[in-house]
Amino acid sequence: MANGGDELKLLGMWASPYVVRVQLALHLKGVSYEYVEEDLASKSELFLRSNPVHKTVPILIHNGKPVCESQVILQYIDEAFAGVGPPLLPADPYERAVARFWAAYVEDKLLAPWGKVFRVKTDEERAEWTRQTAAALGPLEDGLRECSKGKGFFGGDCVGYVDVLLGSMVPWVRATERLSGDKLIDAGKAPLLAAWMERISELDAAKAVFQDVDRVVEYAGAIQARLSAAAAASTQ
């Protein structure tokens, strides 16, 4: 891996799929970087100085200059290291717009409700957010069919921007399925997405950065147990 002598540092937290997005993009591009694990309960001075607005990971620091928010970072990587590795976004303006459309769909219609599944206090709320998440998969299956043009990824032959955004969630998808006992991405209902998930998991870059699913299950289960206990205490 090489990046022309540039100094690149990534501040992250191991469980965050948004951090994995950035790691996946850097590995796909073949760009070397230093990873710094942050304790979000006791943020470092560098962390707070680099992202004083949102105070969230990931933070990419390139030659001393911080770039924040995962989607912004991905686009920055694609532009700052345009001559290194495969591009994340296509060169054609229309195809680039289509990729950004589906990226926004993934964020707003799939990941937003799915994230709430882990943060609600009651089974009823969890069931509703799970329903909304599942409802988003049909149009996304159609989006993959449109973007892939019969090939392996949203980016066609190569892993693209939407693949990285969605691919970083794969360990959490598998952890969710273990915790709930239900298939979030069912090959019977979304065969293209199910095959895509297996395909992206086999990439060397994904194997290098994806979290251990057992560890994610333990982490997510602890969050749910803590929220359930808080809900029970509030009703007493």
Side-chain angles (χ1 to χ4, degrees), residues 24-25 28-29 78 86-89 152-165 167 196 199-200 203 205-206:
L24 184 56
L28 288 166
K29 296 282 277 185
D78 212 28
L88 297 178
L89 282 163
F153 300 99
F154 281 91
D157 285 319
C158 300
V159 176
Y161 184 58
V162 182
D163 295 293
V164 172
L165 256 69
W196 168 89
R199 193 175 298 115
I200 201 163
L203 295 174

Short mmCIF file of all heavy atoms in Angstrom, two decimals, residues 24-25 28-29 78 86-89 152-165 167 196 199-200 203 205-206:
data_model
loop_
_atom_site.label_atom_id
_atom_site.label_comp_id
_atom_site.label_asym_id
_atom_site.label_seq_id
_atom_site.Cartn_x
_atom_site.Cartn_y
_atom_site.Cartn_z
N LEU A 24 -12.47 0.39 4.50
CA LEU A 24 -12.70 -0.39 3.28
C LEU A 24 -12.26 0.39 2.05
O LEU A 24 -11.59 -0.15 1.16
CB LEU A 24 -14.18 -0.79 3.19
CG LEU A 24 -14.59 -1.70 2.04
CD1 LEU A 24 -13.79 -2.99 2.03
CD2 LEU A 24 -16.09 -2.00 2.12
N ALA A 25 -12.63 1.66 2.00
CA ALA A 25 -12.24 2.50 0.86
C ALA A 25 -10.73 2.63 0.75
O ALA A 25 -10.16 2.52 -0.35
CB ALA A 25 -12.88 3.88 0.99
N LEU A 28 -9.29 -0.67 -0.50
CA LEU A 28 -9.59 -0.86 -1.92
C LEU A 28 -8.70 0.01 -2.80
O LEU A 28 -8.28 -0.40 -3.89
CB LEU A 28 -11.07 -0.55 -2.19
CG LEU A 28 -12.07 -1.58 -1.68
CD1 LEU A 28 -13.48 -1.00 -1.71
CD2 LEU A 28 -12.01 -2.87 -2.50
N LYS A 29 -8.43 1.23 -2.34
CA LYS A 29 -7.58 2.16 -3.09
C LYS A 29 -6.09 1.80 -2.97
O LYS A 29 -5.27 2.27 -3.75
CB LYS A 29 -7.80 3.59 -2.61
CG LYS A 29 -9.19 4.14 -2.86
CD LYS A 29 -9.42 4.56 -4.30
CE LYS A 29 -8.90 5.93 -4.58
NZ LYS A 29 -9.23 6.36 -5.98
N ASP A 78 -11.57 9.61 -2.71
CA ASP A 78 -11.65 9.37 -4.16
C ASP A 78 -11.00 10.50 -4.94
O ASP A 78 -10.38 10.26 -5.98
CB ASP A 78 -13.12 9.22 -4.56
CG ASP A 78 -13.32 8.28 -5.74
OD1 ASP A 78 -12.48 7.37 -5.91
OD2 ASP A 78 -14.31 8.44 -6.47
N PRO A 86 -8.58 1.86 -7.88
CA PRO A 86 -9.81 2.07 -8.66
C PRO A 86 -10.65 3.21 -8.07
O PRO A 86 -10.66 3.42 -6.85
CB PRO A 86 -10.54 0.73 -8.53
CG PRO A 86 -10.06 0.18 -7.22
CD PRO A 86 -8.63 0.61 -7.09
N PRO A 87 -11.37 3.97 -8.92
CA PRO A 87 -12.23 5.03 -8.41
C PRO A 87 -13.46 4.45 -7.73
O PRO A 87 -13.95 3.39 -8.10
CB PRO A 87 -12.62 5.81 -9.67
CG PRO A 87 -12.54 4.78 -10.77
CD PRO A 87 -11.41 3.87 -10.40
N LEU A 88 -13.98 5.19 -6.74
CA LEU A 88 -15.21 4.78 -6.07
C LEU A 88 -16.43 5.26 -6.84
O LEU A 88 -17.43 4.55 -6.95
CB LEU A 88 -15.24 5.32 -4.64
CG LEU A 88 -14.15 4.82 -3.70
CD1 LEU A 88 -14.28 5.49 -2.33
CD2 LEU A 88 -14.17 3.31 -3.57
N LEU A 89 -16.36 6.48 -7.34
CA LEU A 89 -17.45 7.06 -8.11
C LEU A 89 -17.10 7.04 -9.60
O LEU A 89 -15.95 7.28 -9.97
CB LEU A 89 -17.73 8.49 -7.67
CG LEU A 89 -18.51 8.64 -6.37
CD1 LEU A 89 -18.37 10.04 -5.80
CD2 LEU A 89 -19.99 8.31 -6.57
N GLY A 152 -21.32 -7.88 -10.80
CA GLY A 152 -21.29 -8.29 -9.40
C GLY A 152 -21.60 -7.26 -8.35
O GLY A 152 -22.00 -7.61 -7.24
N PHE A 153 -21.44 -5.97 -8.69
CA PHE A 153 -21.52 -4.95 -7.65
C PHE A 153 -22.36 -3.75 -8.12
O PHE A 153 -22.67 -3.62 -9.30
CB PHE A 153 -20.11 -4.46 -7.28
CG PHE A 153 -19.22 -5.56 -6.75
CD1 PHE A 153 -18.29 -6.17 -7.58
CD2 PHE A 153 -19.32 -5.97 -5.43
CE1 PHE A 153 -17.47 -7.19 -7.09
CE2 PHE A 153 -18.52 -6.98 -4.94
CZ PHE A 153 -17.59 -7.59 -5.77
N PHE A 154 -22.71 -2.89 -7.18
CA PHE A 154 -23.38 -1.65 -7.55
C PHE A 154 -22.51 -0.87 -8.52
O PHE A 154 -23.02 -0.14 -9.39
CB PHE A 154 -23.65 -0.79 -6.31
CG PHE A 154 -24.83 -1.22 -5.49
CD1 PHE A 154 -24.68 -2.12 -4.45
CD2 PHE A 154 -26.11 -0.73 -5.76
CE1 PHE A 154 -25.77 -2.53 -3.68
CE2 PHE A 154 -27.20 -1.13 -5.01
CZ PHE A 154 -27.03 -2.03 -3.97
N GLY A 155 -21.21 -0.99 -8.40
CA GLY A 155 -20.28 -0.33 -9.31
C GLY A 155 -20.00 -1.10 -10.58
O GLY A 155 -19.12 -0.71 -11.34
N GLY A 156 -20.75 -2.17 -10.83
CA GLY A 156 -20.53 -2.98 -12.03
C GLY A 156 -19.52 -4.07 -11.76
O GLY A 156 -19.68 -4.87 -10.83
N ASP A 157 -18.44 -4.09 -12.55
CA ASP A 157 -17.39 -5.09 -12.35
C ASP A 157 -16.59 -4.80 -11.08
O ASP A 157 -16.04 -5.72 -10.46
CB ASP A 157 -16.42 -5.10 -13.54
CG ASP A 157 -17.03 -5.79 -14.76
OD1 ASP A 157 -17.69 -6.83 -14.57
OD2 ASP A 157 -16.83 -5.30 -15.88
N CYS A 158 -16.50 -3.53 -10.73
CA CYS A 158 -15.67 -3.12 -9.59
C CYS A 158 -16.53 -2.62 -8.44
O CYS A 158 -17.65 -2.14 -8.63
CB CYS A 158 -14.71 -2.01 -10.02
SG CYS A 158 -13.57 -2.48 -11.34
N VAL A 159 -15.97 -2.71 -7.24
CA VAL A 159 -16.64 -2.18 -6.06
C VAL A 159 -16.69 -0.66 -6.17
O VAL A 159 -15.68 0.00 -6.45
CB VAL A 159 -15.88 -2.59 -4.79
CG1 VAL A 159 -16.50 -1.95 -3.56
CG2 VAL A 159 -15.88 -4.10 -4.65
N GLY A 160 -17.88 -0.08 -5.98
CA GLY A 160 -18.05 1.36 -6.09
C GLY A 160 -18.50 2.00 -4.79
O GLY A 160 -18.49 1.37 -3.72
N TYR A 161 -18.91 3.23 -4.91
CA TYR A 161 -19.28 4.06 -3.75
C TYR A 161 -20.41 3.42 -2.94
O TYR A 161 -20.32 3.31 -1.70
CB TYR A 161 -19.70 5.43 -4.29
CG TYR A 161 -20.04 6.47 -3.27
CD1 TYR A 161 -19.12 6.86 -2.31
CD2 TYR A 161 -21.27 7.12 -3.29
CE1 TYR A 161 -19.42 7.85 -1.39
CE2 TYR A 161 -21.58 8.10 -2.38
CZ TYR A 161 -20.66 8.47 -1.43
OH TYR A 161 -20.97 9.44 -0.51
N VAL A 162 -21.48 2.99 -3.59
CA VAL A 162 -22.61 2.39 -2.87
C VAL A 162 -22.21 1.06 -2.24
O VAL A 162 -22.64 0.75 -1.13
CB VAL A 162 -23.82 2.20 -3.81
CG1 VAL A 162 -25.01 1.63 -3.05
CG2 VAL A 162 -24.21 3.52 -4.46
N ASP A 163 -21.36 0.31 -2.92
CA ASP A 163 -20.88 -0.96 -2.36
C ASP A 163 -20.15 -0.72 -1.04
O ASP A 163 -20.32 -1.48 -0.08
CB ASP A 163 -19.93 -1.64 -3.35
CG ASP A 163 -20.61 -2.06 -4.63
OD1 ASP A 163 -21.47 -2.96 -4.59
OD2 ASP A 163 -20.29 -1.47 -5.69
N VAL A 164 -19.34 0.31 -1.00
CA VAL A 164 -18.58 0.61 0.23
C VAL A 164 -19.52 1.06 1.34
O VAL A 164 -19.41 0.60 2.48
CB VAL A 164 -17.50 1.68 -0.05
CG1 VAL A 164 -16.84 2.13 1.26
CG2 VAL A 164 -16.46 1.14 -1.01
N LEU A 165 -20.46 1.95 1.01
CA LEU A 165 -21.42 2.43 2.01
C LEU A 165 -22.21 1.28 2.62
O LEU A 165 -22.32 1.17 3.85
CB LEU A 165 -22.40 3.42 1.38
CG LEU A 165 -22.19 4.90 1.68
CD1 LEU A 165 -20.91 5.38 1.01
CD2 LEU A 165 -23.36 5.73 1.20
N GLY A 167 -21.64 -2.08 2.10
CA GLY A 167 -20.81 -3.21 2.47
C GLY A 167 -20.28 -3.13 3.88
O GLY A 167 -20.12 -4.15 4.56
N TRP A 196 -24.89 -10.49 -3.44
CA TRP A 196 -23.94 -9.38 -3.33
C TRP A 196 -23.26 -9.38 -1.96
O TRP A 196 -22.04 -9.15 -1.86
CB TRP A 196 -24.70 -8.05 -3.55
CG TRP A 196 -23.89 -6.85 -3.17
CD1 TRP A 196 -23.05 -6.13 -3.96
CD2 TRP A 196 -23.87 -6.21 -1.88
NE1 TRP A 196 -22.49 -5.10 -3.25
CE2 TRP A 196 -22.98 -5.13 -1.98
CE3 TRP A 196 -24.51 -6.45 -0.67
CZ2 TRP A 196 -22.71 -4.29 -0.90
CZ3 TRP A 196 -24.25 -5.63 0.41
CH2 TRP A 196 -23.36 -4.56 0.29
N ARG A 199 -20.64 -11.94 -1.88
CA ARG A 199 -19.55 -11.58 -2.80
C ARG A 199 -18.63 -10.53 -2.17
O ARG A 199 -17.40 -10.66 -2.23
CB ARG A 199 -20.15 -11.05 -4.11
CG ARG A 199 -19.19 -10.94 -5.27
CD ARG A 199 -19.93 -10.52 -6.53
NE ARG A 199 -20.93 -11.51 -6.93
CZ ARG A 199 -22.25 -11.30 -6.95
NH1 ARG A 199 -22.74 -10.11 -6.62
NH2 ARG A 199 -23.06 -12.26 -7.32
N ILE A 200 -19.21 -9.51 -1.55
CA ILE A 200 -18.37 -8.45 -0.99
C ILE A 200 -17.64 -8.94 0.25
O ILE A 200 -16.53 -8.49 0.55
CB ILE A 200 -19.20 -7.18 -0.71
CG1 ILE A 200 -18.27 -5.97 -0.63
CG2 ILE A 200 -20.04 -7.31 0.57
CD1 ILE A 200 -18.96 -4.64 -0.75
N LEU A 203 -14.09 -10.34 -0.50
CA LEU A 203 -13.01 -9.47 -0.95
C LEU A 203 -11.90 -9.42 0.10
O LEU A 203 -12.16 -9.39 1.31
CB LEU A 203 -13.52 -8.05 -1.19
CG LEU A 203 -14.54 -7.85 -2.32
CD1 LEU A 203 -15.05 -6.42 -2.30
CD2 LEU A 203 -13.92 -8.19 -3.66
N ALA A 205 -10.06 -6.93 0.82
CA ALA A 205 -10.18 -5.68 1.57
C ALA A 205 -11.22 -5.79 2.67
O ALA A 205 -11.04 -5.27 3.78
CB ALA A 205 -10.54 -4.53 0.63
N ALA A 206 -12.33 -6.49 2.38
CA ALA A 206 -13.37 -6.67 3.39
C ALA A 206 -12.88 -7.57 4.52
O ALA A 206 -13.12 -7.29 5.71
CB ALA A 206 -14.62 -7.26 2.74
#
